[in-house]
Amino acid sequence: MNTGRRILLGRVAGAFGVRGELKLLSWTEPRDALFRYQPWILRSGDTEREVSGVRGRDTGKAVIATFPGVDTRELAEAMNGTEIWVPRDRLPPPAPGEYYWVDLEGLKVETTEGVALGTVSHLFETGANDVMVVSGERERLIPFVTGQYITSVDFDAGKVVVDWDPDF
């Protein structure tokens, strides 16, 4: 099993029906793109296993999946909460100007004047825009808006340059 960097793509949200189908939460866009990145690494507690051959569909309300060997509601219910991970290298490269959040995590953050603010802890969505959480001497929430607050992302240098007041 690949033990390199992994990305969490979804989670089992519960059983669907009586034949072992499962409802999935998917963080891919579109939601059913999740099925393109198999085999998956399923993690439940301290247990991991690899699975491939999962089939599914987006019904509009939920993503529904059929897992090999899961053919009863009881088996499906036992998988509730299981996380769906894939190795980072299985995903396609992002388009120019787009980033996988996991690739930004851990990069140093500095202002356009060279003031170090800390490192990227994580990002989250707000609806209006994504927000980058920077951990340093204190936590900062910086809107991830390229051209306005994010002036550059340099993976080779390991840093993100922001147009941000260090006192804010």
Side-chain angles (χ1 to χ4, degrees):
M1 205 177 309
N2 186 328
T3 58
R5 190 164 206 168
R6 298 176 179 176
I7 294 182
L8 179 64
L9 290 187
R11 182 172 53 81
V12 175
F16 180 81
V18 296
R19 294 190 181 114
E21 289 183 304
L22 297 131
K23 288 187 282 188
L24 304 181
L25 295 177
S26 172
W27 295 296
T28 63
E29 213 32 70
R31 295 186 311 178
D32 60 351
L34 174 76
F35 297 104
R36 295 183 206 150
Y37 306 114
Q38 295 185 53
W40 295 340
I41 300 163
L42 301 180
R43 183 184 299 161
S44 181
D46 293 334
T47 306
E48 287 187 356
R49 68 181 174 102
E50 194 170 283
V51 66
S52 57
V54 179
R55 295 174 306 149
R57 64 195 183 281
D58 187 345
T59 66
K61 289 186 174 187
V63 176
I64 306 301
T66 304
F67 283 66
V70 179
D71 55 5
T72 67
R73 183 171 182 87
E74 292 74 25
L75 289 172
E77 286 174 342
M79 292 185 67
N80 192 27
T82 299
E83 297 173 336
I84 302 167
W85 293 81
V86 298
R88 165 62 183 90
D89 60 10
R90 189 157 306 133
L91 299 178
E98 293 184 357
Y99 309 96
Y100 287 114
W101 289 358
V102 70
D103 293 342
L104 298 170
E105 293 171 2
L107 294 181
K108 293 181 175 101
V109 179
E110 66 180 45
T111 68
T112 53
E113 292 81 29
V115 177
L117 299 180
T119 60
V120 178
S121 168
H122 62 282
L123 290 97
F124 63 90
E125 293 181 71
T126 65
N129 53 263
D130 299 331
V131 175
M132 180 173 65
V133 179
V134 179
S135 296
E137 79 279 354
R138 64 184 175 91
E139 186 176 83
R140 291 181 173 86
L141 305 178
I142 301 174
F144 198 85
V145 180
T146 56
Q148 185 174 359
Y149 302 111
I150 307 298
T151 61
S152 68
V153 176
D154 186 342
F155 289 109
D156 293 332
K159 70 178 177 180
V160 178
V161 177
V162 298
D163 187 2
W164 195 256
D165 182 349
D167 294 327
F168 188 70

